[in-house]
């Protein structure tokens, strides 16, 4: 079962806490990196994020799905919007 798609990083963090979302260790590594360094997701690829987290690209896609996104592309777009908003160029 996937989650409803969050609309902000804050909402994404609240979802994780509220649901007690538990991910396998490799997926958790990806999720933590995404939350701490959203620019890595915003400007990377599933493959580059996977390399950085020492996981497979399919693990990155599974994390995106577990967090409510239909694809890595949608996941990356979410983080791009966040980075733009923080930079003041939204």
């Amino acid at each position: 079962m996937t989650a409803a798609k969050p609309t902000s990083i804050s909402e994404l963090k609240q979802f994780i806490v509220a649901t007690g979302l538990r991910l396998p260790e490799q997926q958790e590594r990806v999720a933590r990196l995404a939350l701490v360094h959203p620019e890595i997701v915003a400007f990377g690829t599933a493959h580059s994020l996977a390399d950085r987290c020492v996981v497979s690209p399919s693990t990155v896609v599974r994390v995106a799905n577990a967090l409510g996104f239909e694809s890595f592309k949608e996941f990356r777009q979410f983080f791009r919007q966040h980075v733009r908003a923080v930079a003041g160029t939204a």
Side-chain angles (χ1 to χ4, degrees):
M1 180 174 140
T2 59
K5 185 172 53 176
T7 59
S8 68
I9 294 283
S10 167
E11 201 173 284
L12 180 61
K13 288 178 182 178
Q14 288 171 1
F15 163 76
I16 292 169
V17 171
T19 61
L21 182 66
R22 298 284 180 243
L23 297 170
E25 188 256 329
Q26 291 184 339
Q27 291 182 29
E28 185 173 326
R29 208 179 314 152
V30 174
R32 286 182 184 276
L33 180 76
L35 292 173
V36 174
H37 298 287
E39 71 283 356
I40 292 172
V41 179
F43 302 111
T45 63
H47 193 81
S48 66
L49 184 56
D51 285 349
R52 177 107 182 208
C53 295
V54 193
V55 300
S56 69
S58 62
T59 297
V60 173
V61 173
R62 282 194 212 66
V63 170
N65 295 154
L67 296 177
F69 299 91
E70 303 232 353
S71 65
F72 177 76
K73 183 178 177 180
E74 186 179 55
F75 185 61
R76 181 174 57 200
Q77 187 60 35
F78 170 82
F79 281 93
R80 284 181 178 173
Q81 289 172 345
H82 168 75
V83 169
R84 282 189 200 113
V86 169
T89 59

